[in-house]
Amino acid sequence: MKKTALITGGSRGIGAAVALKLARDGFIPVINYLSSRERAEKVAADTGGIAFSADVSDMEQVMDMINTVNKKLGGISLLVNNAGISYTGLFNDITLQQEKRLWDVNVGGVFNCTRAVLPDMIRNKAGSIISISSMWGQVGASCEVHYSAAKSAVIGFTKALAKEVGPSGIRVNCIAPGMIMTDMTSGYTEDVLCELKDETPLERLGCPDDIAEAVSFFASEGASFITGQVIGVNGGFVI
Ligand code: NAD
């Protein structure tokens, strides 16, 4: 029987690349999206999956999504916590509203989706949860303090939950991407991108497929003895 993978924020960027790769690996992808219905449905059509709208920061919407997916596809065996937002600015220039939204999506979203899929995984004594953190969650970025802190929380979440649910046969891992060319990084100037490239030992910026490959590995049988780990996919920018 085919396994089902829920990818949050799967309509574009890293999420869409992950959905395409997991479909090639034999998963049925569930493409969660916030508002880009057309793009999500295109990814679903390309991957033989289904698209489902839910704001991951809203537990009710998340539960509706999971209940519907469970009825249609009989449960989720892989959760990829990918949805995320970023704000750049000096610490004191980020508003309380932005701070709350960033935390609600980047951390609350991970908690909500996990809370929703875990009971079934525990009952089945199997499952895999992969969350997308950031290299800034490992080393911190100036002018991205809120984002860095939220992404550090995702790493802490991964390590602690891996210990808690390992005995239930569930693996919990995390990917910390470096600079990946997506909508999220489209605001960077050419000069900044060149500088970042120059500082990267492998002398290139990343693409969504680089992250999709790491997700695919964590989700595979080949990673069956790996849990609680963080893989940096960053061209050596952070070592
Ligand atoms: P992106 O902006 O293209 O994708 C983010 C996705 O999350 C979008 O589809 C967006 O609609 C979705 N999303 C945002 N808020 C949501 C919500 N409340 N509910 C449901 N979906 C929501 O950016 P990306 O680069 O593909 O980012 C994917 C993940 O990778 C994010 O968690 C991001 O923080 C992380 N990341 C990206 C980079 C990078 O350089 N691009 C580096 C490190 C980590």
Side-chain angles (χ1 to χ4, degrees):
M1 206 179 86
K2 276 197 162 191
K3 291 181 171 181
T4 303
L6 169 64
I7 302 114
T8 66
S11 68
R12 66 175 197 232
I14 292 172
V18 168
L20 287 162
K21 174 65 183 150
L22 290 177
R24 286 198 297 276
D25 291 347
F27 284 90
I28 300 174
V30 177
I31 316 298
N32 157 257
Y33 66 97
L34 181 61
S35 53
S36 315
R37 183 181 182 157
E38 234 170 79
R39 288 172 83 168
E41 284 178 348
K42 166 95 174 65
V43 178
D46 290 347
T47 57
I50 58 169
F52 211 102
S53 158
D55 182 334
V56 294
S57 72
D58 182 325
M59 191 62 206
E60 245 177 68
Q61 291 186 33
V62 169
M63 278 317 301
D64 276 354
M65 171 173 67
I66 300 300
N67 288 334
T68 309
V69 171
N70 283 347
K71 272 188 214 139
K72 276 193 175 169
L73 300 172
I76 287 158
S77 41
L78 167 64
L79 166 65
V80 182
N81 285 312
N82 166 74
I85 54 172
S86 67
Y87 297 114
T88 306
L90 291 172
F91 181 75
N92 275 358
D93 290 345
I94 300 293
T95 65
L96 279 176
Q97 227 177 354
Q98 286 175 316
E99 175 180 311
K100 184 171 180 333
R101 183 67 186 155
L102 193 136
W103 207 261
D104 286 352
V105 174
N106 291 8
V107 183
V110 171
F111 279 55
N112 288 342
C113 293
T114 302
R115 193 183 288 120
V117 301
L118 211 46
D120 254 8
M121 287 185 175
I122 290 172
R123 214 168 300 125
N124 296 334
K125 282 211 146 266
S128 172
I129 298 170
I130 301 167
S131 302
I132 309 299
S133 173
S134 165
M135 67 177 173
W136 302 132
Q138 297 176 295
V139 297
S142 160
C143 293
E144 286 197 78
V145 174
H146 297 76
Y147 181 78
S148 301
K151 291 299 187 181
S152 289
V154 173
I155 293 174
F157 156 89
T158 299
K159 294 182 177 185
L161 190 68
K163 290 182 180 174
E164 186 171 311
V165 300
S168 298
I170 300 161
R171 297 184 300 108
V172 189
N173 289 295
C174 180
I175 292 163
M179 188 69 187
I180 309 296
M181 297 313 294
T182 65
D183 287 9
M184 187 174 274
T185 47
S186 59
Y188 286 77
T189 63
E190 272 305 310
D191 285 352
V192 171
L193 292 176
C194 275
E195 264 173 46
L196 288 166
K197 196 172 122 186
D198 287 347
E199 284 174 48
T200 304
L202 290 181
E203 295 184 329
R204 71 170 173 90
L205 300 173
C207 64
D209 285 344
D210 292 319
I211 308 305
E213 289 294 334
V215 171
S216 165
F217 169 64
F218 267 148
S220 71
E221 268 307 299
S224 65
F225 197 48
I226 301 180
T227 196
Q229 303 305 310
V230 184
I231 293 186
V233 182
N234 59 39
F237 193 95
V238 166
I239 291 177

